[in-house]
Amino acid sequence: MRRWFDDIGYAVILFVIAVTVLFLIAPIVVSVMMSFDGRAYLGKFPPPNYSWHWYQNFFSDTFYLGGLKTSLILAVIATLVSTTAGVSAAIVLDRYEFRGKQALEALFLSPLVVPAVVIGFALLLFFALLGVFDGFTRLMGAHIIITFPYTVRTTLAGLVGIRKTLTEAAMSLGATEMQAFWDVTFPLARTGIVAGAVFAFAFSMDDVAVSLFLTSPDTYTLPVAMVSMMRTNFDLTIAAAAVVLMVFTFALILVLDWIIGLERLIGKGVFRS
Amino acid sequence: MRRWFDDIGYAVILFVIAVTVLFLIAPIVVSVMMSFDGRAYLGKFPPPNYSWHWYQNFFSDTFYLGGLKTSLILAVIATLVSTTAGVSAAIVLDRYEFRGKQALEALFLSPLVVPAVVIGFALLLFFALLGVFDGFTRLMGAHIIITFPYTVRTTLAGLVGIRKTLTEAAMSLGATEMQAFWDVTFPLARTGIVAGAVFAFAFSMDDVAVSLFLTSPDTYTLPVAMVSMMRTNFDLTIAAAAVVLMVFTFALILVLDWIIGLERLIGKGVFRS
Amino acid sequence: MTAVVELNHVTKRFGSFVAVDDVSFAIAKGQIVSLLGPSGCGKTTTLRMISGFDDPEEGEVLISGVNMKGKRPYERNVGLLFQDYALFPHMTVNQNVAYGLKYRGFDAKAIPGRVSQMLDLVKLTGFESRRPGQLSGGQQQRVALARALAISPEVVLLDEPLSALDAKLRQELRLELKEILNAVGATTIVVTHDQEEAMSLGDIVIVMNDGRIMQKGAPTEIYAAPKTKFVAEFIGRSNWFSGRFAGAAGNGVARFETSEGLSINALKPDDPRMADDDFELCVRPERINRLEGNGNPSGAGEGQTILKGQVRDIAHLGSDIHLVVNVSGRSLVVIEQYHGQTLEHAGEEIEVAFRPEDCIVVPANS
Amino acid sequence: MTAVVELNHVTKRFGSFVAVDDVSFAIAKGQIVSLLGPSGCGKTTTLRMISGFDDPEEGEVLISGVNMKGKRPYERNVGLLFQDYALFPHMTVNQNVAYGLKYRGFDAKAIPGRVSQMLDLVKLTGFESRRPGQLSGGQQQRVALARALAISPEVVLLDEPLSALDAKLRQELRLELKEILNAVGATTIVVTHDQEEAMSLGDIVIVMNDGRIMQKGAPTEIYAAPKTKFVAEFIGRSNWFSGRFAGAAGNGVARFETSEGLSINALKPDDPRMADDDFELCVRPERINRLEGNGNPSGAGEGQTILKGQVRDIAHLGSDIHLVVNVSGRSLVVIEQYHGQTLEHAGEEIEVAFRPEDCIVVPANS
């Protein structure tokens, strides 16, 4: 009789999981199928026939392509800059004990805590104050700031597993501290650093909240383009754009999975949001 | 002479950190100060005098207050629902080995990987398909889905530290598996569960990318209200709104810090983005 | 006297790996039995099958004569002491010890009395309201023991009970643990990879390897008369020679020729197969004596084997002196008690001797 | 012979905690010195000050006569063997051993020869292209040793060199490690909390506690003539009695009255303060003999102390038998070697004896 409680407990849990799975999978499946809809208008689900024409629309629309181009350029530069800064910061946080270390750590991770709209608005004001009104420069600064915490976090996660005795061993064998870093620490932290760079890239590609505040009429990102198309000209080209963006992100995650394994990512909590 | 390389290395790293710190702190400081600007128009920084009048504007504007009210209601309900579902899912993922466990785990965390605009658009299509056009219902579903991964992650992080032998010990002493869960596992995982709930709340409060797709003219969240005010009626009331939103989030993080310690949060990577 | 725990031809596989292979034994009431073996030998799986966390694939597990097939852990009356103690960290000592009582049907009024009786038994009266985190390792172990014994289990299973403690504390608690188990008359199975733990706690030692029982007997029997090379090597240190018997040397003593050409006097094994077979011969290091006075065999009794060698190393470890002696290119370990004697230096020539009855002979490849 | 390593009145504080307190010692070329003490005794801080990862606050560290003040680790010529070995996991065995050579100014052409010479020394020829993750614990230890010795350091520091290995392997590798160090004539400091490791490896043992040197001497000297209770208790097992001297018993032997009323014959200490002071007296467990034949003192020599007691426990641990005997309400531990003798059962009455020269007397509270 007591066993019965165990068995009913499992049943309830399994039901909750089944409902969750449905709501997580269904919308994405619907969107992907609709993006291949063969009809020229937005019709009922499921599509009666399939074609690539929404993708042809997407790749021939200069508004979307402009957004895609800006997104890619921003993502590449933001990734390079914030990876460099993030690795430097993580090394200092990992190796040294100093007054205010906790405050610095909190500060470096603060873009994770401050709401995105607040960051977007604050940067809008700050750039206005500095006299910077060029859309690209503003987006660039914003994307570096919002991607920086990811590179710090993943590098830190990579450094945590490296025993301090390895650096000490290298120094006892004649290497200076910098040489020990390049010989030992850097190669071992490489997967963490690469993970940070990939996340930074993906996050820069996908951001909308911050970018919305900083776009100018001729400089906007792909997600921002999607949002504005949704308001002005809603058709299934947005579905195609969404699939393109998603495929991009998934490709990056797969690369990352291939390099360091998805489980380790989840375990280390370096998953981007 | 070799020591010199070590010393110059430190100098470079310290410079990078100083620049980063400036760019992280300055925009927020500027925004907070500007929100107390005593002038009635958007003037140069720093404000010549300070007052509360932008806050008075905020708290007397029905548009902002409507957004704040919707945001709070959404956040409370989304937190309750996704914490329940997240805890169930985390228990199954933590305790049992089964075929497809990895796939399920990836699926539960997929809202972290899929770009927010894609989720927003996919839900828009999905709800249209289901015939759901009510703004509040759509936002509710969306906020549950986007907060769910946080509750799964933090609960999992809380469960990971609990040794399996504790459950076995309870069972050897006569408790069924469900009794063992309530007596032993649940009290020990509580901090992780609370952390997940707080993150879910904060994330629901702050979301803009997904909500933008699902708002209706009479149901919108505070961040969405800020974005649309920025386009239509830009003044420093948005700064006051940003500070209100930020204070809300910070208060939550402080509660969390008080409960389980910020360091453990960072270490466990349960920091929201 | 009927057996409290009985395993009949129990087998358990994980995939193609046979964790436990046709194991049978029976434990009488009040007995303490040690299951000893290297990691992966199947001892932990055996323990999990008795406690109900794993089910045997073949064979049966009986507790007090009842077949336990399909019974979940909470449907058996087994006390478990985990290697990591598994104390509930959010409960006090009192709550930990009382935990099993409410589920095991103890009268609510009787619980406080039972708890204080158990804490008295493990000498932790006064610690009732501490949390496990505020206790030392040894105290935690005793709380876990009190909790396991409180429910009056039919059998108590101890999983590496002392391995989490440091060497000095282990020696002290070993005796205390044994006395507590004897005081309540608990039927006990101790699972361990530590030879000293197994021999000092167990009335009977069962040596396992590769899922099978290799030998079963009193500690002294296992040590002095191992039946296989595995058991002899796993229990204690030993000096091995391989070779064959090459004829009698009188008085029931036979000459053993080792592969490196040494001749050793050993007792003739009763084994009828002995004729031309290969054997392994081992001498325990404490049975080898240094001869006083260089080259003077008078110190050695009749029939002893005398070997000449060179001291390779001498280490004073405390109560024991460990001497490594190079004999015909191989190293013999000799253990002596330290009684203030003068120690040799590495490189000195010495003679060592041992008696025929100090030789243990086992079949080769066993 | 000038000292290779010399510490003069070295003191190091961390905040208000004095980690190392006025420590001085000198090590001659080729000597192996063990720094032995419990955790927190300052031995690791001492090692870090010699290797350059910490700087002394007061006093000086000299290596080959040169004051090391302000020299960073890579400016000293010290070989370090870390407790966790600290092998570079992304480099092969070859690359690990060669790592120090490029920075220590070895000719690039000479490096491969030096590496294979070192791998030959530690018997790892053939493992050149393995990664540390593909090696066993013992092999990793030997790679780390080869790497530390390759740079021909003036002094080698070993931090708990064997503690990461299991008990059986530790005994084997102890001798190998000692022979390798002797083969290259390395001046060595072994830091350890393990008494057996310290005594078997070190020519000299320095016992530390609370940042200070408690005693320094050959292993046998430290064991047989500890100057304080701390040293006697930390090294080996011991049976303690506290009490006072109550007059002579002839032949340089004095009568020691214990607090529980036992009378023990001990050698008179030379200490002039002995008159009415409190002392602690200890007898090593292997020095206590069981008397054969109940109540017959003929087995005991002249002047021996004979105590009557009851066997509380007897445990056969392998080469040793541990006997716990209840004497006037306190437990005495007796260790005998096992030579096939019949074992008592718990509860039997026996007599034990020890000689006056087996008693170690130290001042109370030392």
Side-chain angles (χ1 to χ4, degrees):
Chain A
M1 196 208 72
R2 298 177 66 210
R3 301 169 58 150
W4 192 79
F5 287 106
D6 267 13
D7 298 336
I8 208 164
Y10 296 138
V12 169
I13 287 181
L14 290 179
F15 176 74
V16 168
I17 290 176
V19 169
T20 315
V21 167
L22 178 74
F23 265 80
L24 287 172
I25 289 183
I28 301 291
V29 170
V30 167
S31 303
V32 172
M33 286 176 72
M34 291 299 274
S35 74
F36 291 100
D37 192 338
R39 292 169 291 190
Y41 55 91
L42 181 54
K44 284 226 170 301
F45 181 85
N49 50 27
Y50 295 90
S51 88
W52 290 93
H53 77 93
W54 297 113
Y55 289 89
Q56 282 159 356
N57 275 8
F58 175 80
F59 283 108
S60 58
D61 185 323
T62 52
F63 183 67
Y64 278 120
L65 288 183
L68 182 58
K69 184 181 157 204
T70 308
S71 277
L72 286 172
I73 296 173
L74 280 177
V76 168
I77 300 178
T79 301
L80 291 177
V81 175
S82 70
T83 301
T84 310
V87 170
S88 307
I91 290 168
V92 171
L93 291 178
D94 183 58
R95 291 287 144 171
Y96 303 101
E97 289 301 326
F98 49 88
R99 276 174 74 85
K101 176 176 167 171
Q102 285 214 336
L104 196 62
E105 206 159 332
L107 182 67
F108 284 160
L109 298 176
S110 63
L112 300 175
V113 181
V114 180
V117 279
V118 175
I119 296 179
F121 174 77
L123 284 171
L124 180 62
L125 267 189
F126 185 64
F127 282 124
L129 166 73
L130 293 179
V132 176
F133 294 99
D134 174 51
F136 187 78
T137 312
R138 297 197 302 191
L139 283 172
M140 195 71 257
H143 280 231
I144 291 171
I145 285 178
I146 58 178
T147 54
F148 174 73
Y150 293 96
T151 62
V152 175
R153 261 164 89 189
T154 53
T155 308
L156 263 181
L159 290 173
V160 161
I162 303 175
R163 287 165 293 155
K164 304 278 178 290
T165 50
L166 293 181
T167 303
E168 295 189 350
M171 289 174 73
S172 82
L173 291 165
T176 64
E177 202 155 353
M178 282 290 146
Q179 286 165 337
F181 174 77
W182 287 111
D183 290 344
V184 179
T185 311
F186 181 74
L188 293 175
R190 200 166 41 199
T191 52
I193 294 171
V194 170
V198 172
F199 282 134
F201 191 90
F203 196 62
S204 168
M205 281 295 288
D206 300 344
D207 172 71
V208 57
V210 175
S211 303
L212 264 178
F213 282 85
L214 301 168
T215 42
S216 60
D218 54 338
T219 318
Y220 49 86
T221 64
L222 178 58
V224 170
M226 285 168 65
V227 168
S228 81
M229 286 306 258
M230 178 202 58
R231 294 173 181 225
T232 59
N233 184 20
F234 190 85
D235 67 19
L236 284 175
T237 314
I238 304 181
V243 172
V244 167
L245 190 60
M246 197 165 60
V247 164
F248 235 104
T249 313
F250 275 20
L252 273 171
I253 299 289
L254 284 181
V255 167
L256 198 51
D257 186 20
W258 177 67
I259 297 177
I260 56 175
L262 193 60
E263 274 169 290
R264 270 184 64 196
L265 282 185
I266 297 171
K268 290 198 171 163
V270 291
F271 238 89
R272 67 177 207 86
S273 93
Chain B
M1 198 207 69
R2 301 178 62 210
R3 300 170 59 151
W4 191 79
F5 287 105
D6 265 16
D7 298 336
I8 208 163
Y10 296 139
V12 168
I13 286 181
L14 289 179
F15 176 74
V16 167
I17 290 177
V19 170
T20 314
V21 166
L22 177 75
F23 265 80
L24 288 172
I25 289 184
I28 301 291
V29 171
V30 167
S31 304
V32 172
M33 286 175 72
M34 290 300 274
S35 74
F36 290 101
D37 193 339
R39 294 168 290 191
Y41 55 94
L42 181 55
K44 283 227 170 298
F45 182 84
N49 50 28
Y50 296 91
S51 88
W52 288 94
H53 76 94
W54 298 113
Y55 290 89
Q56 284 158 356
N57 277 7
F58 175 81
F59 283 107
S60 57
D61 186 323
T62 52
F63 184 66
Y64 279 120
L65 288 183
L68 182 58
K69 184 181 156 202
T70 307
S71 278
L72 286 172
I73 295 173
L74 279 178
V76 168
I77 300 177
T79 301
L80 290 177
V81 175
S82 70
T83 301
T84 310
V87 170
S88 307
I91 290 169
V92 171
L93 291 179
D94 184 57
R95 290 287 144 172
Y96 303 101
E97 290 303 324
F98 48 88
R99 276 174 74 85
K101 176 174 168 170
Q102 285 213 335
L104 196 61
E105 208 159 330
L107 183 67
F108 284 160
L109 299 176
S110 63
L112 299 174
V113 181
V114 180
V117 280
V118 175
I119 296 179
F121 174 77
L123 284 171
L124 181 62
L125 267 188
F126 185 64
F127 282 124
L129 166 73
L130 293 179
V132 176
F133 295 100
D134 173 51
F136 187 80
T137 310
R138 297 196 303 189
L139 283 172
M140 195 72 257
H143 280 230
I144 290 171
I145 284 178
I146 59 178
T147 53
F148 174 72
Y150 293 97
T151 62
V152 175
R153 262 164 88 189
T154 53
T155 308
L156 264 181
L159 291 173
V160 161
I162 303 175
R163 288 165 292 157
K164 303 279 178 289
T165 49
L166 292 181
T167 302
E168 296 189 349
M171 288 173 74
S172 82
L173 292 165
T176 64
E177 202 156 354
M178 282 290 146
Q179 286 165 338
F181 174 76
W182 287 111
D183 290 345
V184 179
T185 310
F186 181 75
L188 294 175
R190 201 164 40 197
T191 53
I193 294 170
V194 170
V198 173
F199 282 135
F201 190 90
F203 196 63
S204 169
M205 281 295 288
D206 300 343
D207 171 72
V208 56
V210 175
S211 304
L212 264 177
F213 283 86
L214 302 168
T215 43
S216 59
D218 54 337
T219 317
Y220 50 88
T221 64
L222 179 58
V224 169
M226 284 168 65
V227 169
S228 81
M229 285 306 259
M230 178 203 57
R231 294 174 180 223
T232 57
N233 183 20
F234 190 85
D235 68 18
L236 284 173
T237 314
I238 304 181
V243 171
V244 167
L245 190 59
M246 198 165 59
V247 164
F248 235 106
T249 312
F250 276 20
L252 272 172
I253 299 289
L254 285 180
V255 166
L256 198 51
D257 187 20
W258 176 69
I259 297 176
I260 56 175
L262 194 60
E263 274 168 290
R264 269 183 64 196
L265 281 187
I266 296 171
K268 291 200 171 164
V270 292
F271 237 88
R272 68 179 206 83
S273 94
Chain C
M1 193 155 63
T2 170
V4 174
V5 176
E6 198 178 337
L7 272 71
N8 290 326
H9 304 290
V10 167
T11 295
K12 173 79 182 174
R13 291 181 194 84
F14 294 109
S16 63
F17 174 69
V18 185
V20 173
D21 188 0
D22 193 25
V23 162
S24 303
F25 61 80
I27 302 174
K29 188 157 173 53
Q31 246 185 354
I32 303 181
V33 171
S34 298
L35 274 185
L36 173 66
S39 61
C41 76
K43 57 189 194 301
T44 301
T45 306
T46 305
L47 177 125
R48 291 180 67 83
M49 287 192 292
I50 297 170
S51 53
F53 293 107
D54 270 326
D55 275 318
E57 236 155 73
E58 294 164 32
E60 50 182 21
V61 176
L62 306 173
I63 297 181
S64 299
V66 180
N67 192 335
M68 286 290 124
K69 191 173 168 57
K71 299 259 187 203
R72 297 197 185 171
Y74 45 84
E75 295 167 323
R76 308 180 180 202
N77 193 9
V78 171
L80 263 167
L81 180 69
F82 292 84
Q83 188 170 3
D84 62 1
Y85 313 141
L87 293 176
F88 306 129
H90 58 302
M91 298 186 193
T92 62
V93 167
N94 241 341
Q95 289 167 331
N96 265 283
V97 177
Y99 185 84
L101 299 174
K102 65 174 176 173
Y103 288 118
R104 292 298 189 187
F106 273 68
D107 182 10
K109 281 181 203 147
I111 290 178
R114 178 71 180 163
V115 170
S116 66
Q117 179 193 349
M118 296 318 296
L119 289 179
D120 190 44
L121 179 72
V122 299
K123 296 181 194 138
L124 280 178
T125 307
F127 289 82
E128 286 81 358
S129 52
R130 300 262 189 111
R131 302 261 163 149
Q134 299 168 302
L135 301 175
S136 70
Q139 289 166 340
Q140 288 182 30
Q141 199 246 25
R142 276 140 60 197
V143 174
L145 185 64
R147 186 179 68 176
L149 294 176
I151 57 171
S152 302
E154 289 167 280
V155 55
V156 184
L157 308 179
L158 313 180
D159 188 8
E160 310 268 0
L162 301 163
S163 65
L165 305 170
D166 71 29
K168 274 228 151 118
L169 197 56
R170 208 180 300 164
Q171 294 186 326
E172 288 170 34
L173 286 189
R174 207 150 58 190
L175 177 56
E176 207 171 284
L177 176 59
K178 194 167 162 182
E179 290 183 333
I180 291 169
L181 292 171
N182 285 331
V184 299
T187 309
T188 307
I189 300 177
V190 182
V191 160
T192 179
H193 71 280
D194 182 273
Q195 161 214 337
E196 296 200 350
E197 198 166 305
M199 293 180 76
S200 59
L201 290 174
D203 304 319
I204 299 287
V205 175
I206 297 178
V207 183
M208 288 185 74
N209 191 32
D210 286 341
R212 287 190 304 276
I213 292 181
M214 305 301 288
Q215 193 167 350
K216 181 183 166 182
T220 298
E221 185 186 335
I222 298 270
Y223 184 77
K227 286 187 194 142
T228 58
K229 186 169 181 182
F230 174 82
V231 173
E233 276 208 305
F234 195 76
I235 313 260
R237 296 190 76 173
S238 27
N239 296 295
W240 289 96
F241 301 90
S242 36
R244 295 168 171 229
F245 281 99
N251 264 344
V253 173
R255 209 153 45 80
F256 185 85
E257 298 276 357
T258 75
S259 54
E260 54 274 82
L262 298 173
S263 177
I264 294 174
N265 292 338
L267 293 184
K268 251 186 202 156
D270 310 329
D271 199 321
R273 298 166 305 145
M274 69 157 281
D276 284 325
D277 281 355
D278 286 333
F279 284 90
E280 304 253 10
L281 183 150
C282 105
V283 188
R284 300 290 190 186
E286 72 275 13
R287 297 293 182 96
I288 303 181
N289 295 306
R290 223 167 7 135
L291 295 184
E292 301 291 341
N294 205 5
N296 173 15
S298 72
E302 192 74 35
Q304 290 208 13
T305 304
I306 300 174
L307 299 174
K308 267 183 208 282
Q310 197 184 27
V311 176
R312 186 173 154 208
D313 181 58
I314 185 155
H316 182 178
L317 300 181
S319 66
D320 287 337
I321 309 283
H322 283 219
L323 208 66
V324 181
V325 184
N326 213 324
V327 176
S328 307
R330 63 202 314 293
S331 290
L332 287 191
V333 177
V334 178
I335 299 181
E336 284 182 1
Q337 276 199 331
Y338 178 66
H339 286 108
Q341 65 269 50
T342 328
L343 304 184
E344 273 81 11
H345 293 285
E348 281 184 35
E349 301 281 341
I350 64 164
E351 281 187 332
V352 294
F354 49 88
R355 301 170 303 168
E357 54 267 46
D358 294 329
C359 300
I360 297 166
V361 178
V362 296
N365 308 317
S366 70
Chain D
M1 194 155 64
T2 171
V4 173
V5 176
E6 197 178 338
L7 272 71
N8 290 325
H9 303 291
V10 167
T11 296
K12 173 78 183 176
R13 292 181 194 84
F14 293 109
S16 63
F17 173 69
V18 186
V20 172
D21 189 359
D22 193 26
V23 161
S24 302
F25 60 81
I27 301 174
K29 188 159 174 50
Q31 247 185 354
I32 302 180
V33 171
S34 299
L35 274 185
L36 173 66
S39 61
C41 75
K43 57 189 194 301
T44 301
T45 306
T46 305
L47 177 125
R48 291 180 68 83
M49 287 191 293
I50 298 170
S51 53
F53 293 108
D54 269 327
D55 276 318
E57 238 156 73
E58 293 162 32
E60 48 182 22
V61 175
L62 305 173
I63 296 181
S64 299
V66 180
N67 191 334
M68 286 290 122
K69 191 173 168 59
K71 299 260 188 203
R72 297 196 184 171
Y74 47 84
E75 295 167 325
R76 308 180 180 202
N77 192 9
V78 170
L80 263 166
L81 180 70
F82 291 85
Q83 187 170 3
D84 62 1
Y85 313 140
L87 293 176
F88 306 130
H90 57 304
M91 298 185 193
T92 62
V93 167
N94 241 340
Q95 289 167 332
N96 266 283
V97 177
Y99 184 84
L101 299 174
K102 64 173 176 173
Y103 289 117
R104 292 298 190 185
F106 274 68
D107 182 11
K109 283 180 202 148
I111 290 179
R114 178 72 179 163
V115 170
S116 65
Q117 180 193 350
M118 295 318 296
L119 288 180
D120 190 44
L121 180 71
V122 299
K123 295 180 195 142
L124 280 177
T125 308
F127 289 82
E128 287 82 357
S129 51
R130 299 260 189 113
R131 303 259 164 153
Q134 300 167 301
L135 301 176
S136 72
Q139 289 167 340
Q140 288 182 29
Q141 199 245 27
R142 274 141 60 197
V143 175
L145 185 65
R147 186 179 68 176
L149 293 175
I151 57 171
S152 302
E154 290 168 278
V155 55
V156 184
L157 308 178
L158 313 181
D159 187 8
E160 310 268 0
L162 301 163
S163 65
L165 306 170
D166 71 28
K168 275 230 152 114
L169 198 56
R170 209 180 299 164
Q171 294 185 328
E172 286 171 34
L173 285 188
R174 207 150 57 190
L175 177 56
E176 207 172 284
L177 176 60
K178 195 168 162 183
E179 290 184 334
I180 290 170
L181 292 171
N182 285 331
V184 300
T187 309
T188 308
I189 301 178
V190 183
V191 161
T192 179
H193 72 278
D194 182 274
Q195 160 213 336
E196 295 200 352
E197 198 167 304
M199 294 179 76
S200 59
L201 290 174
D203 304 318
I204 300 287
V205 176
I206 298 178
V207 183
M208 287 186 74
N209 191 31
D210 287 341
R212 287 190 304 275
I213 292 180
M214 304 301 288
Q215 194 166 349
K216 181 183 165 181
T220 298
E221 185 186 334
I222 298 269
Y223 184 77
K227 286 187 192 141
T228 57
K229 185 167 182 184
F230 173 83
V231 174
E233 277 207 305
F234 195 75
I235 313 260
R237 297 190 74 172
S238 27
N239 296 294
W240 289 97
F241 301 92
S242 37
R244 295 168 169 224
F245 281 99
N251 265 345
V253 173
R255 209 152 45 78
F256 184 86
E257 297 277 355
T258 75
S259 54
E260 55 274 84
L262 298 173
S263 176
I264 293 173
N265 292 337
L267 292 185
K268 251 185 201 155
D270 310 330
D271 200 323
R273 299 166 304 146
M274 71 158 278
D276 286 325
D277 280 355
D278 286 333
F279 284 89
E280 304 253 12
L281 182 149
C282 104
V283 188
R284 299 290 189 187
E286 72 276 12
R287 297 295 182 96
I288 303 181
N289 296 305
R290 227 168 3 137
L291 295 184
E292 301 290 340
N294 205 6
N296 172 16
S298 71
E302 192 74 35
Q304 290 207 12
T305 304
I306 299 174
L307 299 173
K308 268 183 209 280
Q310 197 183 27
V311 176
R312 186 172 153 209
D313 182 57
I314 185 154
H316 181 179
L317 300 181
S319 66
D320 287 337
I321 308 283
H322 283 219
L323 208 66
V324 181
V325 184
N326 214 324
V327 175
S328 306
R330 64 201 313 293
S331 290
L332 286 192
V333 178
V334 177
I335 300 182
E336 283 181 4
Q337 276 199 330
Y338 178 66
H339 286 108
Q341 67 269 50
T342 326
L343 304 184
E344 275 79 11
H345 294 285
E348 280 183 34
E349 301 282 341
I350 64 164
E351 281 187 330
V352 294
F354 49 89
R355 300 170 303 166
E357 56 267 44
D358 294 328
C359 300
I360 298 166
V361 178
V362 297
N365 310 316
S366 68

